[in-house]
Amino acid sequence: MLDRTTKTPGGFCAALRSCRMGWMLIALALAVSLAVALSPLSAFADDDENLVNPQQRPDSSFIYDTSIAALGEADAYYDNQTVQVVGEVVGDSIREGVDGRHRWITLMAIEKGVDATVSVYMTAEQAAKIDTYGKYGTTGTKLQVRGTFHLVCSEHEGLTDLHADIVTVVEKGKLHEDAFDAGAFVPGAVAVAVGLVLLGVFYYLRERQR
């Protein structure tokens, strides 16, 4: 005996709607599966920024911003590393070799009340950027020096030094003129006045004894 509901137009429409609903559910399931399958690719795409750049310099060539005091207390870890320091040029420029193409200068920085220095080996052109050498009454040129630090330099008889690659002037040097302070002469003037008074009293007493 045939099912009459499937023969009527209403039953046919209900069956058609059920079929469409089934296909929609299948399409939705496929879309979810595809999204899940592609999600790792998007994660990898987001991680592209964390991938290693093949043009990046090796670890041994990293630049370490450090202090001159730290170099003074450096161990083998800093040896042959590229470092960058900032300090005041003090002393004099010393010529290296007979050709005069290189110079030795001294960088100084005051850290925690202690004067720290490092010897820097640079070209004559780089040393020409220095306009003032620090001394009493004078502040030397402040330089930022990037170069290779040698704990025991094989080229310079085991000296601890910094071979400069890039030299940048941070601040020009300046002179400090001593300001006239009248108050500084007051103690001396008082001492002279007292001495004159005592000298007068001495002569007066001597004259009275005659």
Side-chain angles (χ1 to χ4, degrees):
M1 186 175 181
L2 296 178
D3 188 358
R4 297 178 59 88
T5 59
T6 60
K7 299 298 183 177
T8 62
F12 177 76
C13 291
L16 183 60
R17 285 196 297 269
S18 298
C19 183
R20 289 180 177 176
M21 184 64 67
W23 281 110
M24 290 177 63
L25 292 175
I26 293 173
L28 180 61
L30 290 175
V32 172
S33 300
L34 184 61
V36 172
L38 293 179
S39 60
L41 296 179
S42 61
F44 286 130
D46 294 337
D47 290 339
D48 284 344
E49 296 181 356
N50 297 325
L51 297 179
V52 176
N53 183 357
Q55 297 180 349
Q56 187 174 7
R57 295 181 298 177
D59 291 346
S60 60
S61 63
F62 283 174
I63 297 173
Y64 294 93
D65 278 307
T66 185
S67 64
I68 296 177
L71 294 183
E73 301 173 353
D75 53 17
Y77 178 75
Y78 280 93
D79 193 24
N80 296 321
Q81 295 285 358
T82 300
V83 299
Q84 184 169 275
V85 295
V86 176
E88 175 192 352
V89 182
V90 296
D92 296 304
S93 174
I94 302 175
R95 187 176 66 178
E96 168 69 16
V98 295
D99 56 2
R101 296 175 59 186
H102 291 84
R103 297 275 180 173
W104 285 102
I105 63 103
T106 301
L107 280 185
M108 183 193 73
I110 301 176
E111 299 173 8
K112 298 181 180 180
V114 179
D115 295 346
T117 60
V118 63
S119 298
V120 182
Y121 179 72
M122 62 177 58
T123 64
E125 290 78 9
Q126 291 171 333
K129 298 180 180 180
I130 303 171
D131 62 350
T132 309
Y133 289 83
K135 56 185 178 181
Y136 176 77
T138 304
T139 299
T141 307
K142 182 179 288 187
L143 296 180
Q144 181 186 73
V145 177
R146 181 188 304 175
T148 304
F149 176 73
H150 298 283
L151 190 61
V152 181
C153 184
S154 58
E155 297 180 21
H156 301 112
E157 302 178 352
L159 179 69
T160 298
D161 60 18
L162 174 60
H163 289 204
D165 294 326
I166 300 176
V167 176
T168 306
V169 175
V170 176
E171 186 177 347
K172 293 184 178 181
K174 51 189 174 182
L175 300 176
H176 303 283
E177 296 182 359
D178 294 333
F180 179 77
D181 184 9
F185 293 92
V186 172
V190 172
V192 171
V194 172
L196 292 175
V197 171
L198 292 177
L199 182 62
V201 172
F202 171 76
Y203 278 106
Y204 174 76
L205 294 177
R206 191 177 68 173
E207 291 297 327
R208 286 189 61 181
Q209 292 176 356
R210 289 182 179 182

